[in-house]
Amino acid sequence: MGFLCASLKKSMAVEIMSKKLVKPSSPTPTQLQSYKLSFFDQLAIRTHVPIVLIYHKLNNSITDELLEESLSETLTHVYPSAGRINKDRRVVDCLDQGVAFIIGKVNCQVEDFLEQARKEIDLANHFWPQGIKDVDDNYDFAITPLVFVQVTRFECGGLALSVAAEHITIDGFTNMKFIYEWAKVCRLGIPSINFFNYDLGDIFPARETSRILKPLASLAIPKDTKTYVAKRFVFNEASISKLRDKIANGVLSFKPSRVEMITALLWRALIRASQAKNGRLRPSLMSFPVNLRGKASVPKLANAFGNFAVEVPVVFTPNETNMEFHNLIALIRDATDKTMVFSAKASNDELVSMAANLYNMTQEWEANEQVDEFTCSSLCRFPMKEADFGLGKPCWMTFGLRQSQVFWLYDADCGSSIAAQVDLNESLMHYFERDQDLNSFTILNN
């Protein structure tokens, strides 16, 4: 096993066995065939974001046919996922065009993969649905599926399931809830009817954005040719709790959450890594997505399909911001609290204005090439850990396309710990992973 595992990086290969479009099991009614995109959808990046879940358990009854049939049944109740974005980019034509469904097999055993993936997380990139990296800025909305699914079987049992969803229509909450509900249908055979609300486009209709949104900063910057790599860190729950109690009883007037603690640890390590690489402290912009479901003043949207979040910019400025750990926590809390307090009382128009203002602030910072930028996305308490298709819960997972700098925080598979998948510019990762404070709070051989 040791020799095989050591050689996987060069020898691992996925063979595609079949490709097809899976359509809803029942036709979408005429009155539902035009799904309106919302203003919040207009703020989303145009890319298919993959999630890879690894299942270790062997269950011969969970066949590719059963996965396909249960997907088809689920799509009947999540009908926009099987549609196509209209050429005006304000509507999804829900004509049951289908989602891409790909079957493959990989030339290794799941135990060997897991052994090496703990050190080489990017091995999981082999399981991204085939074709999603070919979907560029000029792709044809009318023919490109909104969702790609790939099921890859390991030798001697085990399965990798990857779902890549177009972010213009499907955010992280929507995609993960979709996977969770599909898993229930596969395992139990009975769908949870009406588990999404489809009113976002009516409540927050799409608008002419040229007057209220600044141009996307990335369009004014030369095409990024950097290489991004990922590393996984699992945080020691006991050490984080001890530090949280110490800070809460000392320099902070509040008890920070585990997510705030870990985000601040990661952020400070990144600021230090940038300083080591560039020879000086640089401004650092963190975009922190805040899910508005259950927080905004529109209670019926607690289970909204689509994009219903804002990215809150949090900025570290050298000579203006102290780099102490508690200062970064306070920055994060202040920015996110202001957003949530405002959202709880805001009218619909005020929510749109807030989202536009936050978007424009982020674009202004991102347009400056002297600013380090990244996103910290907390997926903690999202239901992907519970996505049991009849194969048990996933034993390992990974996220994203390695196209930008992202911290993905999620519930680890061991106890109540939090794991972080860190996607960074390769030249920064060299310094980042050696940060002493970061390593003192993480578990080795995770």
Side-chain angles (χ1 to χ4, degrees):
M1 180 182 293
F3 175 78
L4 175 60
C5 186
S7 65
L8 275 187
K9 190 171 183 180
K10 293 183 178 179
S11 66
M12 184 175 165
V14 172
E15 179 183 354
I16 300 302
M17 310 302 292
S18 66
K19 300 179 188 177
K20 63 167 40 175
L21 291 174
V22 173
K23 302 182 178 185
S25 58
S26 299
T28 300
T30 304
Q31 69 272 19
L32 300 178
Q33 289 181 356
S34 182
Y35 168 72
K36 298 176 185 176
L37 295 177
S38 75
F39 173 75
F40 289 92
D41 294 319
Q42 291 179 294
L43 301 179
I45 59 173
R46 188 193 315 169
T47 186
H48 284 73
V49 182
I51 300 171
V52 179
L53 304 177
I54 305 296
Y55 292 88
H56 186 275
K57 186 176 178 181
L58 177 63
N59 185 343
N60 291 328
S61 67
I62 308 302
T63 62
D64 296 338
E65 290 75 21
L66 178 59
L67 289 167
E68 179 184 335
E69 290 168 7
S70 55
L71 173 61
S72 177
E73 181 65 36
T74 305
L75 288 173
T76 297
H77 307 284
V78 196
Y79 55 91
S81 297
R84 300 291 183 269
I85 298 176
N86 191 284
K87 61 182 179 180
D88 67 4
R89 302 188 184 183
R90 293 195 179 195
V91 169
V92 174
D93 293 327
C94 305
L95 304 177
D96 304 330
Q97 295 95 325
V99 307
F101 187 73
I102 304 159
I103 301 295
K105 64 179 182 180
V106 63
N107 62 339
C108 68
Q109 297 186 21
V110 66
E111 293 87 354
D112 293 318
F113 168 80
L114 290 171
E115 182 180 336
Q116 186 161 339
R118 289 186 174 91
K119 297 179 181 179
E120 297 279 354
I121 190 173
D122 285 337
L123 278 177
N125 299 358
H126 285 80
F127 303 128
W128 290 344
Q130 189 185 60
I132 62 166
K133 290 196 72 174
D134 300 327
V135 178
D136 60 20
D137 292 342
N138 300 312
Y139 77 84
D140 190 340
F141 282 99
I143 62 174
T144 305
L146 297 182
V147 176
F148 289 74
V149 173
Q150 183 162 320
V151 178
T152 308
R153 300 277 179 175
F154 290 92
E155 295 175 350
C156 304
L159 179 149
L161 175 73
S162 182
V163 180
E166 169 56 72
H167 206 328
I168 290 178
T169 54
I170 298 171
D171 67 1
F173 171 89
T174 304
N175 195 20
M176 290 173 196
K177 187 170 176 59
F178 169 72
I179 295 170
Y180 171 73
E181 298 294 346
W182 171 25
K184 283 205 303 185
V185 175
C186 186
R187 187 178 78 254
L188 303 175
I190 303 173
S192 302
I193 308 300
N194 299 327
F195 46 78
F196 279 118
N197 175 288
Y198 296 100
D199 295 333
L200 261 180
D202 291 317
I203 297 172
F204 300 102
R207 304 179 178 217
E208 174 51 56
T209 59
S210 60
R211 296 183 179 180
I212 58 175
L213 297 182
K214 293 182 180 295
L216 196 63
S218 60
L219 297 180
I221 298 174
K223 190 71 173 178
D224 195 346
T225 57
K226 298 184 182 74
T227 299
Y228 295 93
V229 295
K231 298 284 184 180
R232 183 176 187 254
F233 301 84
V234 177
F235 287 84
N236 185 304
E237 177 68 16
S239 298
I240 291 293
S241 296
K242 189 179 296 184
L243 179 60
R244 176 167 61 172
D245 292 339
K246 179 181 178 181
I247 288 178
N249 294 324
V251 292
L252 289 176
S253 60
F254 60 91
K255 187 173 183 178
S257 69
R258 294 184 307 155
V259 167
E260 289 170 330
M261 296 274 296
I262 291 170
T263 300
L265 277 170
L266 293 167
W267 192 9
R268 188 166 65 167
L270 180 58
I271 293 170
R272 288 171 171 168
S274 174
Q275 182 181 24
K277 177 189 173 185
N278 296 293
R280 60 184 175 84
L281 280 174
R282 285 163 48 105
S284 182
L285 167 70
M286 173 173 64
S287 294
F288 196 94
V290 172
N291 182 10
L292 294 178
R293 297 170 179 86
K295 302 180 183 73
S297 54
V298 193
K300 67 182 295 186
L301 295 180
N303 285 308
F305 179 95
N307 288 276
F308 195 36
V310 291
E311 292 204 3
V312 179
V314 191
V315 181
F316 165 81
T317 307
N319 303 321
E320 293 182 20
T321 311
N322 196 311
M323 218 172 84
E324 292 298 320
F325 182 54
H326 63 272
N327 296 115
L328 296 180
I329 293 175
L331 272 180
I332 297 165
R333 172 63 68 92
D334 182 62
T336 54
D337 256 13
K338 284 179 180 177
T339 300
M340 289 189 284
V341 169
F342 182 85
S343 299
K345 300 177 180 179
S347 67
N348 293 353
D349 285 342
E350 288 171 336
L351 281 172
V352 168
S353 295
M354 176 193 74
N357 289 338
L358 292 173
Y359 178 92
N360 289 335
M361 287 171 59
T362 299
Q363 296 309 310
E364 287 179 9
W365 279 100
E366 288 186 351
N368 186 343
E369 294 185 49
Q370 299 304 310
V371 175
D372 296 318
E373 59 182 273
F374 71 101
T375 298
C376 182
S377 184
S378 174
L379 309 176
C380 296
R381 300 184 180 178
F382 279 25
M384 65 271 195
K385 257 185 79 173
E386 308 301 319
D388 181 359
F389 288 81
L391 297 165
K393 297 177 181 180
C395 64
W396 200 81
M397 59 190 73
T398 182
F399 315 91
L401 268 177
R402 316 292 186 269
Q403 292 179 332
S404 60
Q405 301 197 135
V406 186
F407 298 161
W408 307 87
L409 273 54
Y410 60 101
D411 299 309
D413 40 75
C414 48
S416 58
S417 299
I418 290 180
Q421 177 188 307
V422 176
D423 300 356
L424 284 185
N425 177 346
E426 189 172 29
S427 62
L428 271 178
M429 184 66 82
H430 171 77
Y431 300 100
F432 180 88
E433 63 183 340
R434 289 166 173 76
D435 186 86
Q436 291 184 355
D437 284 349
L438 182 62
N439 287 322
S440 68
F441 288 98
T442 54
I443 303 169
L444 296 177
N445 299 319
N446 53 68

